[in-house]
Amino acid sequence: MSNATLLISLTILPFAGSLVAAFLPANARNIEAWLSGLIALSALILTTACYWSVTAGGVMRYEAQWLPTLGLNFILRMDGFAWLFAMLVTGIGLLVVLYARYYMSPQDPVPRFFSFFLAFMGAMLGVVLAGNLIQLVFFWELTGLFSFLLIGYWHHRAGARDGARMALTVTATGGLCLLAGMLILGHVVGSYDLDEVLAAGELIRSHALYLPALILILLGALTKSAQFPFHFWLPQAMVAPTPVSAYLHSATLVKAGVFLLARLWPALAGTDAWLWIVGMSGLVTFVLGAYLAIFQQDLKGLLAYSTISHLGLITLLLGLNTPLAAVAGIFHIINHATFKASLFMGAGIIDHETGTRDIRRLSGLYRFMPITATLAMVAAAAMAGVPLLNGFLSKEMFFAETIAAHDGSLVDQTLPLVATLAGMFSVAYSLRFIHETFFGPPAVALPRVPHEPPRWMRFPVELLVVACLVVGIIPELTVGPVLETAAYAVLGPALPQYNLAVWHGFTLPLLMSVAALLGGALIYRLLREHLLGGVEGPPLWRHLKSQHIFERVLVTVSWRWAGALKNLLGTRHLQVQLRLLVGTALIAALWSLYGRELAVDHTASPALDPAFALLWTVGATCAVGAACLAKYHRLAALILVGGAGLVTSITFVWLSAPDLALTQLLVEIVTTVLILLGLRWLPKRIEGIDSGARLRIRARRLGDLALALVAGSGLSLLAYAVMSRPAPSSISRFFLEHAYTEGGGTNVVNVILVDFRGFDTLGEITVLGIVALAVYALLRRFRPASDSIDIPEQQRLQNARDAAPPLRPPGTTLTDYLAIPAVIMQLMFPFIGVLAMFLLIRGHNLPGGGFIAGITMTVGLLLLYIAGGIRWVEARLHVRPVRWIAMGLLLAAGTGVGAWLFSYPFLTSYAAHAELPVIGRAPLASALLFDLGVFVLVVGAMALILLALAHQSIRSHRTPSAKATVTPPSAGET
Amino acid sequence: MIAWTDHLLIMPVVLPLVTGTVMLLIDERRHGLKAAINIGAIIALTGTGLALLGLANAPPTEPTATQVGVYRLGDWPVPFGIVLVVDRLAALMLVMTSVLALASVVFSLARWHRAGAHFHSLFQFLLVGLNGAFLTGDLFNLFVFFELLLAASYGLMLHGSGTARVQAGLHYIAVNLAGSLLFLIGVSLLYAVAGTLNMADLATRIPLIPASDRMLLEVGAAALGIAFLVKAGMWPLGFWLPSAYSVATPPVAAIFAILSKVGVYAVLRLSLLLFSEGDTNLAPFGQQWLLYGGMATIAFGAIGVLAAQDTARLAGFAVLISSGTVLAAIGTGHPGVTASALFYLISSTLAISAFFLLVELIERGRGPGADILAVTLEVFGEEGEVDVEAVEEVGIATPVTLAVLGLSFIGCALVLAGLPPLSGFIAKFALLTALLSTPGAEAVVSPASWALLALLIVSGLATLIAMSRAGMRVFWIPLERAVPQVRLVELAPIAALLLACAVLTVRAEPILQYVQATARSVHNPHTYVRGVLATPSEQSAPRGGDS
């Protein structure tokens, strides 16, 4: 297989497996395990096959175009270091699959488990094989996502949810920081390609942005590897099923952080900042983790803190800035993965076979499971750094490194001592793990009778423990070449000389090892009394519940503060929103005008006519009055609005705009009537309900008044400034010149409406139609407020009078109400219809047009409804407003489409004049057809709104509470 | 004389108009027939949109070729009549609109389209408004189409009735009417000083406006800008948006996801078209506002996402983050950032749309108040909880429906939070890398860019925290709940939208190239202006005086 095929199949295989696994039935435990095992095995074989290409600094590379525009290509890259990690990921993955087959309960719906597991493996391989910074972040975040799903696998347990969320929150935050850091790094280097970044170490370290980039990247790496001060999430993540813990928290997920540190070591390491941040974080974690591990009462909790501690050790080694320390760090990555995975699985076996992993309840298990106990002992010895086991080798390299002087500072001087101390802690907790679990009196009252696990469940542990032994005894022959390959990939030609031999003679590091072993045993002995007390956690520290704090902080910041801020910065009140809108507009306008002079040409405007001034005083009074009364006296306000509208209409006449005046007048009439119809159904408002908060309300209203005044006068000023200056050369000239010659009409306004800008009109009539439909849709389900259902007061009075002697049937008066005007109104209908037709036809040349005609027709219809009532009208006239709207729109749009037949654009008009009998010479423009559409639509839309409002009165009969009242059948709806 | 194919340009307006109208003639109870017509029309629209996109994106065959299609309505010469103009940006928005429309309508088939009168017609009219707004090259015509889409959205907003919808809907109407008023004022002022309404013509005339008229122009532009920003939901003008979107029926909310982008579109189009031609005075003025306003919007959106009490409101605030991000990116004034913002716009709009559809499905089958209960459990759960160990260490099988819903939820969360593997990550990466590599200023990244970069990352984190909290609340906490009854037509659109996000990741390059070309041409509107103004204006109409 070629390199490319190898790398691609290695990346894709787990994801493909994950997809297949997800679709298997819920009880297919064996098939799932076989599938996952085969996938992991194939991946392992593929990885092994890569070995010969990556020795001696060889790099396999596969590049595919992805986003070349942004300098982002899909690059798979495997060197010795990546190969080492790929081996860990696939190899331990395979063992964990085997283990999980026996660990997971037969009732467990494992497809989800194995699907997430394989996807996680794929993501991890993606991180390892990424040849591109951004791609690395891409897979990095995926590992976070899938680990979240795996940790929360038993999500019906509150602990699993909390642990999963904490892991996600912490690592995803780190991941986002990492993304930012990688972006800066890429910005500095000018490329996201890993090879180029690794080669540009000098450039990076001397760049001004080095420190921010470093801090951001380290935030990503340290959170992932659970380094101090981000260590708290890892123990909480132990709620995951044990196979997950064994995989994620020994060999893979948390190792991603140290992987990144080692990966970028050539580019970022070698500065004081690196030494202090990485080194200190690693050192603190190393000591603290080991110390805390001693006091855990949960087997997995102990292992979790031990993992934190060992990761701290690796971090510290990578942070020491010397090549030899880096080698030791890489070596310890391998060793830790082997013994920690086996220990986790051992703890899982104990849990599985006894039903608990509480150290306080466990005791003397050696009798029941001698083989498991032996295996665990060997692995724990490796963890403690006992000679002839792999942990000893890397730890001794570490001790040697702590002795070598670096910068002579106080921390550097005390480093060997601190390291030895932490080594003692390691020995102590390893001892405790073994001693309290397997030795002592046989445990009583365990949930299950302990026994050896199934053969194949123990197999992975056996294999790993053998690896610990073999590596520990003959390191040069086994792990030697692998380590060299991996270290060379990181350090390159700078790879220092090192010796993997078990025996180096009587050296200081050996002394430190011995001291750690003895001291650890002593510490355990001294603490034993305290530990048997059964208290979880070390003295003092245990009161510092990091999970509790984290949850509290998260809830406070992301929930309470966010809620408070949202209420502070936002609002749900309409008034406030409108105030903000007007205010913002005002500020924006003032911003533009600030410091400049708004030139207003007073000379151009004619002298003010007193009559006109009076007219406007009336209009303004009406408007202000309407605003004042709108809240409690709607009818009065409506009448005043009508007055203001009338003044506007007269103003148009005054300024010689008959079309506008006519339209305004008619619209005023129709809308007033329609709103009148609606007023009937609005709930009553009672004045003075808020007597307590009156002052505040008054102040708010005054503020609103001030805002309205400023905004209104500003707008008037703008309008005046515009109108008083000479008009620019504008397109309106064209309309005046071409209205007759090419539009075929002398009424320029109408020609603009139906021809020049007929498209606008088409849009606007559609708006009208839609609004009518929306009103209809809204009111169809409308149920009036309970206090509006009753018949109006006036009708009640009338009925009461009827009921008074001399007795008349109630409603008689109402039937005859407006009897004479009604007859006149009914008679007027045909005349109004003719008038509307007249206005429509003459519109192209004289004031009029489809819209005006339509409104006029609506007035006729309104009168008919007012005069006769709904039932009377609809018994005689088919009122089908929706159909009219549709026909009108179709007519208008159809006129436009008609131009296509002649290969002209939409709405191209054709105008001609024809000699007709009787009528004489008449204009025949296609625009008339369009205008007819406008006419039909306007009638339809207004009629639909009218109906929607008017039918309320009929419908309200059906509401139960209104049943008792008798409403006369033919009148009173309006 | 023009060829039949040239009418393609107006089809996005005429087709839905006629379809919506014809459906008015069909009996209200024939939902199936109407739905079929509606879907057929949208598929045709999608085809048209794609064809126009192909035209707009065609490599110029000859040096003089302009990649701008112009349609002169009524055959009137250019600055006088109304024109429709299709360029890359417009074509992109058209395609987006029809894709979202298709998803929404298919989703509505399960139940929602029967929840009120004239749903399908109103829906088509909304498309008329949207498409018209994207296509028009005339400022007043833009106003008309804004009105059209708003009118239709009023109807759709109230679709399904209910107190919450009517209340939020009336707020929506009031605020948007006020915004329309500002729009009208702005158009009037611009016309008053420039004497034209054609956008391309405005672009050439604005630099020539005398200094004395300058401030009127600026006030007009500011009024226009505020009208658009109300629509886009910029802080502090967008408080109506989460309330309205979160209570609208799901298919309506899903198409509303593009509605807020109309405001963004108008800002992008007009600010760069009108004020970039040789004018250095005005452009930075507006840009600063956009940048800081957009950043404030992102911040407010992120806060709102965290504080949201239910999933629908969370989605509403996610719209704000999305809008704010694009606005702020436009405010930086760099074509590269704009291009990335367009990519982000595509990705986030698809995801938000899918999320709005999803929200209703996951809420279905949960008792009222389930959210409050779950929140209480999470926040105050430490005390008085059942013994953790007592709960069996055996997983609970997830019903297929819940599994699919859960996956979709994760998908939406990933895109919105900007995490891999879906397009959200690519979009965020593209934005961030563009921010870092803005040309000029000697490779020094400005503080504002840093701030925006930080804000983008933090808003992603906020979204992640909020989404994970919401997701765990809905899917993981074992409250008694019935598995929601979900139909395939409801899942399919969500899956399709998320699939589109996945495609956006894999095929990111061609799309990115497209948006980059779009951003270049939007930032250098000479092609647009030349393309519109150079359209042949010979009068060949059959109109004449007398016959």
Side-chain angles (χ1 to χ4, degrees):
Chain A
M1 270 200 271
S2 73
N3 280 355
T5 331
L6 270 176
L7 290 175
I8 294 170
S9 34
L10 193 53
T11 321
I12 289 180
L13 205 56
F15 287 113
S18 162
L19 211 59
V20 175
F23 285 103
L24 290 176
N27 53 359
R29 186 161 74 132
N30 284 327
I31 305 174
E32 287 284 348
W34 273 108
L35 171 77
S36 311
L38 281 176
I39 298 278
L41 183 65
S42 324
L44 181 63
I45 293 170
L46 285 173
T47 314
T48 318
C50 294
Y51 182 67
W52 290 272
S53 313
V54 296
T55 46
V59 174
M60 296 165 73
R61 221 176 127 91
Y62 165 76
E63 184 162 352
Q65 296 263 307
W66 186 20
L67 261 176
T69 325
L70 295 180
L72 183 62
N73 275 340
F74 187 77
I75 304 171
L76 294 173
R77 175 186 182 280
M78 188 190 263
D79 59 3
F81 187 60
W83 180 86
L84 170 69
F85 256 86
M87 282 301 281
L88 288 178
V89 169
T90 53
I92 295 185
L94 176 63
L95 297 178
V96 170
V97 167
L98 180 60
Y99 178 78
R101 154 67 183 81
Y102 293 94
Y103 185 87
M104 301 305 280
S105 156
Q107 285 93 46
D108 223 316
V110 283
R112 191 154 50 95
F113 177 82
F114 281 109
S115 180
F116 292 158
F117 188 87
L118 286 174
F120 175 81
M121 183 190 281
M124 203 58 214
L125 282 173
V127 170
V128 169
L129 297 179
N132 179 307
L133 297 184
I134 301 302
Q135 193 184 330
L136 194 150
V137 179
F138 184 94
F139 285 109
W140 179 282
E141 296 281 28
L142 280 186
T143 61
L145 173 69
F146 289 115
S147 67
F148 164 73
L149 293 171
L150 282 169
I151 296 170
Y153 177 69
W154 285 324
H155 55 69
H156 53 291
R157 296 158 53 114
R161 291 195 297 272
D162 291 344
R165 183 169 52 201
M166 188 191 279
L168 180 74
T169 312
V170 176
T171 58
T173 310
L176 288 171
C177 293
L178 179 66
L179 173 63
M182 291 299 205
L183 283 166
I184 298 175
L185 197 58
H187 173 64
V188 169
V189 178
S191 164
Y192 295 113
D193 193 320
L194 192 60
D195 282 313
E196 292 190 33
V197 172
L198 293 182
E202 283 303 315
L203 171 74
I204 295 166
R205 284 187 289 268
S206 58
H207 198 276
L209 288 174
Y210 167 73
L211 198 60
L214 177 71
I215 290 173
L216 287 167
I217 290 173
L218 289 182
L219 277 174
L222 298 181
T223 49
K224 200 78 157 181
S225 279
Q227 293 299 291
F228 181 85
F230 310 111
H231 59 284
F232 52 85
W233 70 265
L234 184 59
Q236 307 304 328
M238 288 303 135
V239 292
T242 302
V244 173
S245 306
Y247 193 48
L248 266 62
H249 307 132
S250 69
T252 51
L253 180 72
V254 290
K255 288 281 167 61
V258 286
F259 169 81
L260 184 69
L261 291 181
R263 183 84 281 177
L264 294 179
W265 199 86
L268 296 176
T271 61
D272 281 347
W274 173 273
L275 173 70
W276 281 103
I277 302 176
V278 180
M280 278 313 284
S281 175
L283 182 63
V284 173
T285 318
F286 177 40
V287 180
L288 190 68
Y291 175 69
L292 293 177
I294 303 176
F295 298 94
Q296 297 305 308
Q297 301 293 10
D298 177 8
L299 280 183
K300 278 173 80 178
L302 187 149
L303 292 178
Y305 277 103
S306 135
T307 304
I308 293 177
S309 166
H310 279 273
L311 287 166
L313 169 61
I314 300 167
T315 307
L316 171 59
L317 282 168
L318 291 170
L320 285 178
N321 274 342
T322 63
L324 206 54
V327 174
I330 295 166
F331 189 28
H332 199 67
I333 288 174
I334 309 173
N335 296 335
H336 177 251
T338 45
F339 64 67
K340 193 51 67 65
S342 61
L343 280 172
F344 264 116
M345 292 190 216
I349 289 174
I350 294 167
D351 186 15
H352 198 251
E353 304 308 336
T354 65
T356 183
R357 26 172 234 257
D358 191 328
I359 297 178
R360 285 164 295 194
R361 298 175 69 185
L362 295 168
S363 180
L365 286 183
Y366 188 81
R367 291 175 190 78
F368 303 101
M369 34 174 73
I371 306 177
T372 308
T374 315
L375 293 172
M377 275 185 264
V378 177
M383 178 161 78
V386 173
L388 292 183
L389 291 165
N390 58 357
F392 170 74
L393 296 173
S394 45
K395 203 166 257 185
E396 218 183 26
M397 285 170 88
F398 162 65
F399 285 146
E401 274 307 300
T402 57
I403 297 164
H406 301 104
D407 62 354
S409 67
L410 185 67
V411 176
D412 191 48
Q413 297 293 329
T414 53
L415 193 57
L417 292 177
V418 179
T420 317
L421 182 69
M424 290 176 189
F425 291 152
S426 304
V427 173
Y429 67 68
S430 306
L431 256 178
R432 175 155 188 255
F433 179 82
I434 295 305
H435 188 252
E436 294 197 7
T437 313
F438 295 110
F439 297 96
V444 287
L446 288 176
R448 283 175 219 147
V449 181
H451 56 84
E452 282 288 347
R455 171 78 192 84
W456 290 102
M457 186 172 179
R458 208 176 54 210
F459 179 74
V461 188
E462 292 166 359
L463 208 65
L464 288 169
V465 167
V466 168
C468 289
L469 272 167
V470 172
V471 169
I473 296 166
I474 40 169
E476 284 290 9
L477 295 179
T478 49
V479 82
V482 172
L483 181 60
E484 190 180 329
T485 306
Y488 189 86
V490 173
L491 301 169
L495 185 66
Q497 283 293 317
Y498 59 89
N499 187 0
L500 278 184
V502 177
W503 181 253
H504 292 274
F506 291 102
T507 53
L508 198 53
L510 184 68
L511 186 68
M512 288 166 78
S513 282
V514 173
L517 284 171
L518 295 177
L522 191 66
I523 289 176
Y524 176 56
R525 185 72 202 84
L526 290 176
L527 283 176
R528 200 166 148 66
E529 285 306 310
H530 170 81
L531 291 170
L532 286 176
V535 191
E536 174 98 35
L540 298 179
W541 190 273
R542 70 165 164 270
H543 300 296
L544 201 71
K545 288 198 176 106
S546 54
Q547 183 194 359
H548 207 70
I549 298 169
F550 175 83
E551 290 284 337
R552 275 293 154 87
V553 169
L554 193 66
V555 164
T556 310
V557 173
S558 75
W559 183 260
R560 300 217 172 96
W561 288 6
L565 264 179
K566 191 195 76 176
N567 292 336
L568 185 72
L569 298 175
T571 179
R572 288 170 91 155
H573 295 290
L574 179 62
Q575 285 91 336
V576 183
Q577 293 188 41
L578 289 176
R579 203 176 297 144
L580 276 170
L581 178 58
V582 176
T584 314
L586 193 63
I587 290 170
L590 290 177
W591 191 280
S592 314
L593 296 179
Y594 181 74
R596 293 193 248 180
E597 206 177 322
L598 186 63
V600 178
D601 190 0
H602 297 284
T603 53
S605 51
L608 193 61
D609 192 307
F612 190 72
L614 181 67
L615 185 69
W616 266 66
T617 317
V618 172
T621 316
C622 282
V624 173
C628 285
L629 294 174
K631 188 154 185 180
Y632 297 113
H633 305 282
R634 297 193 185 104
L635 183 63
L638 184 61
I639 293 168
L640 288 173
V641 167
L646 211 58
V647 169
T648 316
S649 184
I650 298 173
T651 309
F652 286 139
V653 177
W654 194 286
L655 298 173
S656 324
D659 274 283
L660 289 184
L662 201 50
T663 312
Q664 179 73 30
L665 184 66
L666 289 164
V667 168
E668 283 295 333
I669 293 170
V670 174
T671 45
T672 306
V673 173
L674 289 179
I675 296 175
L676 271 174
L677 286 176
L679 278 192
R680 155 84 177 81
W681 301 110
L682 293 182
K684 290 182 182 62
R685 272 214 173 107
I686 298 138
E687 209 163 344
I689 208 163
D690 281 329
S691 54
R694 179 157 287 172
L695 198 69
R696 198 167 46 83
I697 292 172
R698 190 156 287 186
R700 199 185 62 207
R701 287 200 187 138
L702 274 178
D704 286 352
L705 178 67
L707 186 65
L709 283 177
V710 175
S713 43
L715 197 57
S716 320
L717 194 68
L718 275 181
Y720 184 65
V722 166
M723 284 187 280
S724 65
R725 68 188 51 218
S729 68
S730 91
I731 53 171
S732 56
R733 200 178 171 76
F734 174 87
F735 298 142
L736 289 173
E737 283 166 0
H738 293 76
Y740 187 72
T741 54
E742 292 180 28
T746 52
N747 179 357
V748 184
V749 175
N750 186 266
V751 177
I752 290 177
L753 283 178
V754 298
D755 199 343
F756 291 123
R757 300 188 70 89
F759 196 53
D760 280 345
T761 310
L762 182 63
E764 287 294 2
I765 60 170
T766 316
V767 172
L768 192 58
I770 296 168
V771 168
L773 291 173
V775 168
Y776 168 71
L778 175 66
L779 290 184
R780 209 176 61 138
R781 297 264 187 92
F782 174 72
R783 294 288 170 270
S786 52
D787 57 348
S788 321
I789 291 173
D790 232 359
I791 55 169
E793 198 185 356
Q794 291 82 350
Q795 283 190 36
R796 262 202 315 275
L797 290 175
Q798 203 66 59
N799 287 343
R801 265 187 88 99
D802 287 349
L807 281 175
R808 293 198 293 174
T812 323
T813 320
L814 211 55
T815 326
D816 301 332
Y817 192 61
L818 283 180
I820 309 244
V823 172
I824 299 172
M825 288 184 212
Q826 282 160 10
L827 279 178
M828 273 170 70
F829 183 66
F831 295 103
I832 293 177
V834 171
L835 176 68
M837 281 301 123
F838 171 68
L839 285 171
L840 170 69
I841 292 171
R842 79 171 201 156
H844 217 45
N845 292 319
L846 291 163
F851 188 79
I852 291 174
I855 300 271
T856 312
M857 195 67 220
T858 312
V859 172
L861 205 60
L862 265 177
L863 286 176
L864 216 51
Y865 268 85
I866 292 173
I870 299 171
R871 291 207 169 78
W872 186 88
V873 176
E874 287 174 11
R876 287 159 180 81
L877 203 64
H878 284 291
V879 184
R880 312 280 288 274
V882 176
R883 185 154 294 190
W884 297 348
I885 291 175
M887 294 315 294
L889 264 181
L890 279 183
L891 202 57
T895 311
V897 172
W900 292 355
L901 297 175
F902 305 97
S903 294
Y904 282 100
F906 191 68
L907 282 177
T908 307
S909 65
Y910 179 76
H913 289 85
E915 293 292 336
L916 292 179
V918 186
I919 297 167
R921 204 174 124 89
L924 269 188
S926 68
L928 183 63
L929 219 52
F930 182 84
D931 228 9
L932 187 64
V934 175
F935 169 77
V936 175
L937 180 127
V938 169
V939 177
M942 299 319 280
L944 186 59
I945 298 176
L946 171 67
L947 251 67
L949 284 164
H951 278 237
Q952 282 302 322
S953 57
I954 299 185
R955 193 127 40 82
S956 64
H957 296 238
R958 286 183 233 127
T959 56
S961 57
K963 217 166 244 172
T965 63
V966 184
T967 313
S970 62
E973 287 88 7
T974 54
Chain B
M1 302 293 253
I2 60 175
W4 271 102
T5 48
D6 292 338
H7 295 305
L8 201 62
L9 218 158
I10 200 173
M11 286 316 278
V13 177
V14 172
L15 183 66
L17 180 65
V18 172
T19 313
T21 312
V22 166
M23 280 193 290
L24 287 179
L25 295 172
I26 300 171
D27 185 69
E28 182 59 26
R29 277 154 300 186
R30 303 193 63 183
H31 296 291
L33 177 65
K34 287 193 173 194
I37 296 176
N38 198 351
I39 289 176
I42 293 172
I43 290 173
L45 269 184
T46 317
T48 315
L50 287 172
L52 287 175
L53 191 133
L55 285 178
N57 200 32
T61 42
E62 51 194 279
T64 54
T66 56
Q67 285 155 307
V68 177
V70 180
Y71 191 88
R72 289 179 300 120
L73 284 150
D75 208 25
W76 294 108
V78 158
F80 309 110
I82 296 169
V83 287
L84 295 186
V85 186
V86 67
D87 62 349
R88 286 196 186 86
L89 181 60
L92 174 69
M93 299 308 283
L94 288 181
V95 173
M96 283 286 295
T97 307
S98 33
V99 167
L100 294 188
L102 193 58
S104 302
V105 171
V106 170
F107 184 90
S108 76
L109 295 185
R111 59 204 281 187
W112 283 111
H113 71 136
R114 293 190 296 272
H118 301 299
F119 173 77
H120 292 291
S121 292
L122 287 174
F123 199 89
Q124 285 290 326
F125 289 140
L126 181 71
L127 296 183
V128 177
L130 284 166
N131 291 343
F134 294 137
L135 281 175
T136 189
D138 185 282
L139 201 55
F140 187 77
N141 197 235
L142 181 67
F143 172 75
V144 171
F145 280 115
F146 256 69
E147 285 306 291
L148 222 164
L149 70 89
L150 285 176
S153 75
Y154 301 152
L156 288 172
M157 175 72 225
L158 298 168
H159 179 75
S161 304
T163 318
R165 265 175 216 131
V166 172
Q167 189 181 14
L170 290 179
H171 283 191
Y172 171 78
I173 293 175
V175 173
N176 279 294
L177 279 181
S180 297
L181 183 65
L182 278 177
F183 194 155
L184 208 53
I185 293 171
V187 173
S188 314
L189 284 174
L190 248 61
Y191 181 70
V193 291
T196 186
L197 289 169
N198 183 295
M199 294 181 196
D201 199 26
L202 270 174
T204 56
R205 286 197 193 198
I206 280 175
L208 310 175
I209 286 174
S212 59
D213 286 357
R214 199 80 219 170
M215 64 193 79
L216 287 177
L217 173 78
E218 287 181 21
V219 174
L224 273 184
I226 288 173
F228 298 144
L229 293 175
V230 168
K231 201 82 220 74
M234 186 167 99
W235 189 88
L237 306 172
F239 302 133
W240 56 272
L241 196 149
S243 308
Y245 282 30
S246 58
V247 295
T249 50
V252 171
I255 190 74
F256 276 15
I258 189 101
L259 213 59
S260 57
K261 301 298 184 295
V262 180
V264 175
Y265 163 85
V267 167
L268 177 62
R269 168 76 82 204
L270 288 177
S271 69
L272 293 172
L273 180 62
L274 301 189
F275 300 115
S276 67
E277 291 250 332
D279 190 333
T280 51
N281 183 26
L282 208 53
F285 153 77
Q287 271 176 7
Q288 292 292 317
W289 283 75
L290 279 185
L291 179 60
Y292 296 121
M295 280 162 63
T297 313
I298 302 175
F300 181 67
I303 291 168
V305 160
L306 283 175
Q309 298 266 3
D310 58 58
T311 337
R313 267 190 91 72
L314 197 164
F317 280 105
V319 176
L320 289 189
I321 296 185
S322 165
S323 273
T325 305
V326 182
L327 286 176
I330 296 171
T332 60
H334 293 287
V337 184
T338 308
S340 303
L342 285 172
F343 189 91
Y344 173 85
L345 184 147
I346 302 174
S347 152
S348 67
T349 310
L350 289 173
I352 287 173
S353 200
F355 193 43
F356 271 121
L357 297 180
L358 185 66
V359 164
E360 196 253 341
L361 298 186
I362 59 177
E363 295 296 330
R364 203 180 278 176
R366 301 179 79 213
D371 265 335
I372 306 297
L373 195 57
V375 168
T376 323
L377 215 98
E378 287 294 280
V379 176
F380 303 103
E382 296 102 359
E383 282 86 35
E385 200 165 272
V386 284
D387 182 17
V388 178
E389 291 305 318
V391 185
E392 193 76 20
E393 280 195 343
V394 173
I396 296 174
T398 320
V400 178
T401 314
L402 271 186
V404 175
L405 291 180
L407 270 182
S408 311
F409 187 88
I410 292 175
C412 291
L414 291 178
V415 181
L416 292 179
L419 292 179
L422 295 178
S423 55
F425 179 77
I426 305 290
K428 196 150 274 187
F429 163 69
L431 260 177
L432 297 179
T433 192
L435 273 178
L436 283 177
S437 56
T438 44
E442 300 89 41
V444 173
V445 184
S446 69
S449 290
W450 284 120
L452 180 55
L453 189 136
L455 206 52
L456 287 176
I457 286 180
V458 171
S459 75
L461 180 65
T463 312
L464 178 72
I465 290 176
M467 292 287 268
S468 64
R469 185 157 56 201
M472 289 165 92
R473 196 192 291 163
V474 175
F475 293 103
W476 278 8
I477 292 184
L479 289 175
E480 293 301 318
R481 66 174 293 183
V483 175
Q485 295 293 312
V486 174
R487 292 175 54 192
L488 191 63
V489 286
E490 293 176 305
L491 286 178
I494 298 173
L497 288 175
L498 288 175
L499 191 70
C501 287
V503 170
L504 219 52
T505 312
V506 180
R507 306 282 299 145
E509 178 64 15
I511 294 161
L512 201 69
Q513 276 178 1
Y514 182 86
V515 289
Q516 286 196 330
T518 309
R520 272 197 302 275
S521 58
V522 171
H523 275 266
N524 296 300
H526 302 284
T527 326
Y528 181 96
V529 172
R530 217 173 331 112
V532 173
L533 293 183
T535 310
S537 58
E538 70 273 21
Q539 280 292 306
S540 50
R543 47 182 144 241
D546 303 40
S547 62

